[in-house]
Amino acid sequence: MSGKKTGAGPTPDKRSGWKKIRFALSRATSKAIREPLRRVREPLRQIALKFIPGYPIVIEQPETLPLAPFTGVLPQAGTRCLVYEDAPVVIRSHPLSRHSSEDESRHYLDHIVTAPGLTLESPGPHFWFARSGLMVSPKGGIWRHSFMAPFRMERVRTVKSISCAEQGGGEGGLVFHPSLVRGAERIAGPHLVVAQTESPNFGHFLLDVVPLIHLGKEMGAPMLAWPFKPWQKDIIARIGVAPGQIRELPAKTHLLEQPVVSNRLAGLGAHIAHPMAKRVFDAIRDRTPVERYGSLPRRFFLMRGLRHGRSLKNRVELGEALASHGVASVQPELMSFEEQVALFARAELVVAEFGAAMANVVFCPAGAKVLEIISEGQHDPWSARLCGMLGLEHVVHFQKLSEDERLSRGDRFAPSPDFAFAADIAAICATVDHLR
C-alpha cells in the first residue's frame, strides 16, 4: 500500500509500466547475481558455524507458561493471560457461488468456525530478528507465537546466527549460536511487541496487528515495532495512539528483556477474524470524514496491483466489462488509507480479486455484498470467514485453471511469479447483475 492519493481510474496495467520494468530488473539481478552468490556463500557459512558453540533449536509453546487472569495491564514475567475468549463465527453459503472442487466448496457451505481468543504472553528474554520476526531465547528456543503459520526452514534463512547441523541439531536440524549476536542492543522493561516482520503484509497488519495496537493503546502499555511504512502510520494515526507510546526500533537484531507477545503475531486474527476486532475498525470508520468522498463509487472492482503471482490474464477486459454493468475499477494501493476507508464505508457491492486488500471489507456497512474471484486450488478461506464475522453477503467465484496454469501455480505459500489465470467474465458479470 502507499500513501498516494489517486482514486478510481485507469487499470493498473496502464499505470504500472515502470513498476513492471523494476520488477523485471530485480528478478534478473537476483537470478544473475544474488542467487549464485548465495549458493556459494551459504555452504561456506555453514562450515564455519560448525566450529562455534550453539544450542539445538526447539519450538517453545505458550502453554508452558502459567495462565493468570487479565487485569487490564501487561502480564507479569513468566505468565500469560487471555484477554478475550474464543467466539463462534457463522459462515453462510450463497446460491450464486461457483466452486471448482469439493475440497474448496466445503469451506463455503453453512458451518460454524471458532475464532481464537486473544492472548498475551511474557516468555522472558528473547532475541528479536527483524526480517523474519522470529524471537529466539539465549538457549535456542523459538517462541511459537513470534512467527506465522507452521514452522519452516525458510523462516531462518535470514537469521545468520542459526545454522543447519548434520546431526545433533534441534527442530529441522537447526542450531542457534548466541555468541554471534552478543552485541545486540538490549531493550529493558516490559513492552508489547506489535510487529510481525520487517516487511509487513497489509491484510495481516490490519487484521492481526491493528487490534493488538488498539489493545496496547487502551492499556497505556509501551509497545515495540520495526520502523513503520507510511501506510501503517496512516492507520495508526486513526487509532489515536499517544505520541511515543510505540517505539520504532531499527530493523536489526535486538535482545528484548521482557517482551510481551500475542497469538495474533502468529496470524490467527487474519485466519479467523474475531468479532471483538470490529471495535477498532468501527472506531476508525467513525473518525473518517466519509462525506468528503462522495464522488467515490459505491459499486467497484477491487483490482490487485503488480504482484508475485495470481495475476489475472484478462484483468483489463474484466474491468471494462464490469464498467458496462455499473461497476467502476479501483486500485486501493494507489489511494490514501483515508480514501480506502471512505470507499469501503460507502460500498454497496465489492468485486474483489483474492488478496490482502480484501481485508478492507472490515469498513463496509451492514448489507454490503462481496463477490470474490479466486483461482482454483487456493484453499484459503480467511476472507469468507471475515465476511461471515462481519455479516456481509459473500459470493465466491473459483476460476477453473487450464493444465498449463495448474502446473505453473506452485505452492500457495511460495507462488510462482509467472502464475496467471483467466477470469470467467460472462459468469462474473451475470452474478453482478443478480446482486443489485
Side-chain angles (χ1 to χ4, degrees):
M1 308 293 289
S2 75
K4 294 180 181 178
K5 292 194 66 178
T6 57
T11 66
D13 302 76
K14 296 177 182 177
R15 282 176 147 171
S16 57
W18 176 236
K19 283 188 179 180
K20 291 180 178 180
I21 293 172
R22 285 188 300 174
F23 178 61
L25 289 174
S26 177
R27 286 186 61 194
T29 302
S30 180
K31 289 183 178 180
I33 301 175
R34 288 194 291 267
E35 290 180 10
L37 284 176
R38 187 182 299 121
R39 286 195 293 269
V40 172
R41 185 176 58 224
E42 187 59 23
L44 296 176
R45 187 177 76 88
Q46 294 295 332
I47 292 171
L49 290 176
K50 292 181 186 298
F51 300 97
I52 300 176
Y55 294 94
I57 288 288
V58 295
I59 305 299
E60 299 174 310
Q61 300 298 335
E63 290 74 21
T64 59
L65 297 179
L67 187 64
F70 177 60
T71 60
V73 297
L74 296 179
Q76 295 293 317
T79 67
R80 62 188 172 100
C81 62
L82 182 63
V83 179
Y84 49 76
E85 297 182 348
D86 298 353
V89 171
V90 178
I91 310 299
R92 300 292 187 195
S93 63
H94 200 287
L96 295 177
S97 288
R98 295 164 60 98
H99 306 289
S100 61
S101 73
E102 288 188 10
D103 268 351
E104 289 156 348
S105 63
R106 64 187 175 87
H107 294 297
Y108 302 89
L109 301 177
D110 288 350
H111 67 290
I112 297 176
V113 294
T114 300
L118 188 148
T119 65
L120 297 178
E121 304 145 10
S122 181
H126 278 69
F127 291 99
W128 191 27
F129 296 90
R131 294 185 64 186
S132 63
L134 287 176
M135 287 177 47
V136 185
S137 76
K139 292 191 176 180
I142 296 182
W143 194 252
R144 171 65 189 86
H145 286 160
S146 65
F147 58 88
M148 292 190 289
F151 181 77
R152 304 195 309 277
M153 289 280 287
E154 304 92 275
R155 297 195 181 281
V156 301
R157 282 186 60 181
T158 61
V159 181
K160 304 305 181 185
S161 51
I162 293 180
S163 66
C164 302
E166 292 180 2
Q167 57 183 1
E171 186 80 19
L174 301 173
V175 175
F176 175 58
H177 306 272
S179 62
L180 298 182
V181 286
R182 59 178 175 265
E185 180 185 356
R186 301 176 72 95
I187 307 296
H191 289 83
L192 178 62
V193 176
V194 292
Q196 290 167 318
T197 65
E198 181 189 4
S199 302
N201 170 278
F202 175 76
H204 278 291
F205 183 77
L206 194 63
L207 297 174
D208 293 318
V209 179
V210 167
L212 192 60
I213 292 176
H214 184 251
L215 174 64
K217 185 209 83 165
E218 291 184 326
M219 293 190 296
M223 293 178 268
L224 293 177
W226 306 126
F228 288 121
K229 312 293 184 186
W231 60 265
Q232 291 176 302
K233 292 181 179 180
D234 287 347
I235 298 174
I236 293 169
R238 299 281 164 187
I239 303 175
V241 178
Q245 189 177 354
I246 303 179
R247 180 179 174 185
E248 298 179 52
L249 298 177
K252 58 183 181 181
T253 304
H254 292 80
L255 176 59
L256 310 184
E257 293 186 352
Q258 296 185 57
V260 176
V261 296
S262 169
N263 58 355
R264 290 305 183 264
L265 298 184
L268 297 183
H271 182 58
I272 307 178
H274 197 285
M276 288 292 288
K278 288 194 290 188
R279 296 183 306 151
V280 63
F281 301 125
D282 290 345
I284 290 173
R285 185 175 57 228
D286 291 344
R287 293 192 185 106
T288 301
V290 176
E291 65 283 353
R292 183 185 300 171
Y293 297 96
S295 61
L296 290 175
R298 292 184 180 274
R299 296 165 60 84
F300 53 88
F301 172 34
L302 192 66
M303 308 179 81
R304 284 166 58 84
L306 190 65
R307 292 294 189 272
H308 293 272
R310 298 198 311 268
S311 177
L312 271 183
K313 295 178 180 177
N314 55 350
R315 180 181 289 128
V316 174
E317 293 82 359
L318 176 59
E320 292 171 347
L322 286 172
S324 66
H325 291 257
V327 178
S329 294
V330 298
Q331 191 176 352
E333 65 180 26
L334 298 178
M335 304 172 73
S336 71
F337 181 67
E338 181 175 281
E339 282 180 298
Q340 293 178 62
V341 175
L343 175 72
F344 282 84
R346 304 175 71 254
E348 295 175 355
L349 171 66
V350 179
V351 181
E353 300 179 51
F354 176 87
M358 263 287 293
N360 277 313
V361 298
V362 295
F363 303 115
C364 282
K369 300 175 176 64
V370 179
L371 169 56
E372 187 175 13
I373 303 166
I374 311 180
S375 70
E376 175 186 4
Q378 184 62 37
H379 298 295
D380 192 356
W382 69 268
S383 48
R385 294 164 178 168
L386 177 61
C387 289
M389 184 274 284
L390 297 167
L392 302 178
E393 186 176 343
H394 179 246
V395 182
V396 60
H397 268 223
F398 275 97
Q399 307 301 302
K400 287 279 190 180
L401 302 182
S402 68
E403 188 61 29
D404 288 343
E405 290 169 346
R406 196 173 291 111
L407 290 172
S408 70
R409 180 178 57 206
D411 181 77
R412 182 172 74 81
F413 293 104
S416 166
D418 301 318
F419 173 54
F421 65 100
D424 186 336
I425 294 177
I428 292 170
C429 288
T431 299
V432 163
D433 290 340
H434 279 93
L435 290 174
R436 290 191 178 279

